[in-house]
């Protein structure tokens, strides 16, 4: 059985979050919603990567946020 993990990692490690989802479609939808939330909560200073399943940015307070999906097998 495959499952997908959406990772939201911050250079301030206390803010890291991970969500497990059972389908790739759900993971991609949650990725888009989380990306939109990041953009609404922060002023984006620089975009390092903006792909289908990876988003890596520097935000207003000189912190970085990386959002990405990994696939796993049970």
């Amino acid at each position: 059985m495959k499952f997908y993990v959406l990772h939201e990692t911050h250079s301030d490690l206390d803010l890291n979050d991970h969500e497990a989802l059972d389908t790739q479609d759900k993971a991609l939808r949650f990725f888009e919603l989380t990306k939109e939330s990041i953009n609404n909560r922060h002023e984006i200073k620089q975009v390092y990567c903006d792909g289908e399943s990876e988003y890596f940015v520097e935000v207003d307070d000189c912190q970085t946020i990386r959002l990405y999906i990994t696939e796993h097998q049970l």
Side-chain angles (χ1 to χ4, degrees):
M1 174 184 172
K2 287 184 183 178
F3 69 98
Y4 301 84
V5 177
L6 176 66
H7 307 271
E8 181 180 339
T9 60
H10 295 247
S11 50
D12 180 356
L13 300 177
D14 290 341
L15 302 174
N16 289 351
D17 189 30
H18 311 278
E19 298 290 334
L21 300 134
D22 60 349
T23 68
Q24 186 175 22
D25 286 341
K26 286 180 185 177
L28 290 171
R29 279 196 305 268
F30 197 33
F31 174 90
E32 288 301 324
L33 291 171
T34 306
K35 179 180 168 182
E36 184 178 321
S37 175
I38 290 168
N39 290 335
N40 289 335
R41 289 178 294 159
H42 300 280
E43 180 182 339
I44 306 301
K45 295 292 186 181
Q46 182 162 351
V47 176
Y48 300 111
C49 179
D50 188 1
E52 180 182 343
S53 62
E54 182 179 9
Y55 186 55
F56 185 30
V57 294
E58 181 180 334
V59 295
D60 48 2
D61 54 2
C62 296
Q63 298 289 320
T64 58
I65 300 173
R66 183 174 177 223
L67 183 65
Y68 61 100
I69 297 171
T70 56
E71 178 182 291
H72 302 270
Q73 184 76 32
L74 279 178

